[in-house]
Structures are given as structure tokens and as C-alpha cells.
Amino acid sequence: MKLYLIRHGETDWNKVHRIQGSSDIELNEYGRELAFMTREGLRHVPFDIGYTSPLKRAKETGEIILGGRNVPLYEDERVKEACFGTFEGMTLKELEDRNDPFLDFFNDPVHFETINGCETHREVIGRAVEFLEDMILPNERKYQHVAVFSHGAWIHSLLTHIYGRDIEEFWHAPRQENCGVTTIEVKDGTCHVLKESEIFYNKDGE
């Protein structure tokens, strides 16, 4: 089986580095354009099934990329982005200006402590692993190509588990770009990463 982890396209909040988390923000026009370019890049992949975060930005990305195909797309709460509690809607600059401890989520994961309703890295990893073990591994021989439409921190969560990394390496490069596609081979219950955050558009053209 090949598992394709696909981050959603750009939103207006992405553009200004505003914390999204579980906030249900839609794609902007450029985000939809990225999804259509990614659809073209993946046109030769014969997807059998798709799973998506219920958040609009991920779901619409999935609907665009799988558009025109007879491929079922199922929502799964476990694929949602990390919840960032009361920090959702704030910009990184606002948080940096006040040196907020929430920034440890990105800058110092090993010392991040849950604050104001935020999920921890381990909680997000737990959700990702549960999804993997429940929906993907048991169906290794049933499906050949599976798409999962999700979010940056969630994809890093699953990669942290697959690579067996410590929390301090949660944000190990490469960064998961908007509409970046990470491809994983699943064989005999073992996951092997083939490509990380492959993009099908010219970033310089943003």
C-alpha cells in the first residue's frame, strides 16, 4: 500500500501566519489553485479511498484533488489539526512580541506544557497513531493507494511516530508545505517514508 499524507491548501490565516489549529478556516483562492495543481500532479495515482479532517480547508482540498473520480472520501476526527485553544486567531508576531510560552509548541516541543486548552504533541501523536492502527494498517492488502487530507502538525505527528523520533525532533525538516504530499509505503505492517512534502507547483510563483 502507498499512503499519501496531503496538507491542505493555503488559507488567508496561513498567509499572515495566524494560528489556525481547530478553527474552521476555508481555503483562499490561491489555496484552491494549489489544490488543482496538486490534483494534476497526482492524476496518475489510482486512489482507492480518501480520509479527511472535517475542517473545511482539508476537506475542500480533498474534494478538489479527488474530483471527477469515483473515490469515497470519509471524514475522521482523529485527522484534525492540533487544537491551540485560546491562541487560535492570534498571529505569530503578536505572540513573539510578548514572548508567549505557547511558542514552545513550535520552537521547543520537548518543554511545551499544555496551556489554555492546547493539545500537547503527544496527544496529537496519539490521535494520529490510533488512526493509522485502526484505519490504515488493517487494510494494507485491501487498498493500494490511500489519500489522507490533513494539517501540518498532524502530519509531523505521524512522521514523528513512524521515524521513532523524540518529541524534540517533532518539527524535523522538511516542513510540510501547503498541498505538500508525503508518500509512505506500508508493507507487512511497517511504514517506510518514500517522499516528504513533495509539491507540484512553483513556490517562487507565490
Side-chain angles (χ1 to χ4, degrees):
M1 176 200 283
K2 284 194 173 64
L3 175 64
Y4 301 81
L5 307 180
I6 305 169
R7 188 182 174 208
H8 61 81
E10 185 188 82
T11 70
D12 286 341
W13 281 27
N14 285 143
K15 202 169 182 178
V16 297
H17 306 292
R18 193 177 297 281
I19 303 297
Q20 287 185 122
S22 59
S23 295
D24 204 4
I25 310 304
E26 295 184 354
L27 297 178
N28 59 24
E29 284 308 308
Y30 181 63
R32 295 183 181 99
E33 187 180 328
L34 295 185
F36 277 108
M37 286 189 278
T38 305
R39 169 182 170 173
E40 178 65 16
L42 295 173
R43 68 188 183 283
H44 298 307
V45 179
F47 289 112
D48 299 300
I49 191 170
Y51 296 97
T52 182
S53 157
L55 298 177
K56 293 173 186 173
R57 58 191 184 272
K59 188 176 179 182
E60 186 178 2
T61 299
E63 290 169 345
I64 290 172
I65 290 175
L66 297 179
R69 309 186 191 211
N70 186 25
V71 179
L73 181 62
Y74 297 103
E75 293 183 23
D76 195 304
E77 288 283 335
R78 293 169 294 187
V79 183
K80 281 177 75 169
E81 182 57 304
C83 176
F84 294 134
T86 60
F87 297 97
E88 294 182 8
M90 302 189 69
T91 65
L92 281 178
K93 186 178 185 311
E94 289 170 339
L95 295 166
E96 288 164 354
D97 285 347
R98 69 188 199 193
N99 197 28
D100 199 289
F102 168 73
L103 292 171
D104 283 346
F105 188 91
F106 304 105
N107 302 332
D108 190 8
V110 75
H111 291 115
F112 177 77
E113 296 181 5
T114 186
I115 180 174
N116 294 1
C118 294
E119 278 186 283
T120 65
H121 300 81
R122 292 193 188 282
E123 286 172 330
V124 186
I125 291 171
R127 286 198 281 111
V129 172
E130 183 181 315
F131 171 80
L132 178 73
E133 294 179 345
D134 189 27
M135 307 304 292
I136 304 301
L137 299 185
N139 293 308
E140 178 187 330
R141 288 172 175 80
K142 183 176 181 181
Y143 304 123
Q144 289 187 307
H145 300 274
V146 178
V148 177
F149 300 94
S150 189
H151 309 265
W154 190 91
I155 293 174
H156 277 278
S157 292
L158 193 53
L159 289 174
T160 298
H161 168 72
I162 289 171
Y163 280 116
R165 291 172 176 154
D166 294 330
I167 293 295
E168 64 185 348
E169 294 188 281
F170 186 89
W171 297 108
H172 193 289
R175 174 177 177 264
Q176 300 301 307
E177 302 285 352
N178 288 120
C179 277
V181 181
T182 289
T183 307
I184 297 166
E185 182 181 64
V186 182
K187 187 175 183 180
D188 299 327
T190 300
C191 296
H192 175 66
V193 180
L194 302 178
K195 295 179 184 176
E196 284 191 57
S197 198
E198 182 180 14
I199 56 174
F200 296 94
Y201 56 91
N202 181 3
K203 279 206 80 207
D204 296 334
E206 288 184 11

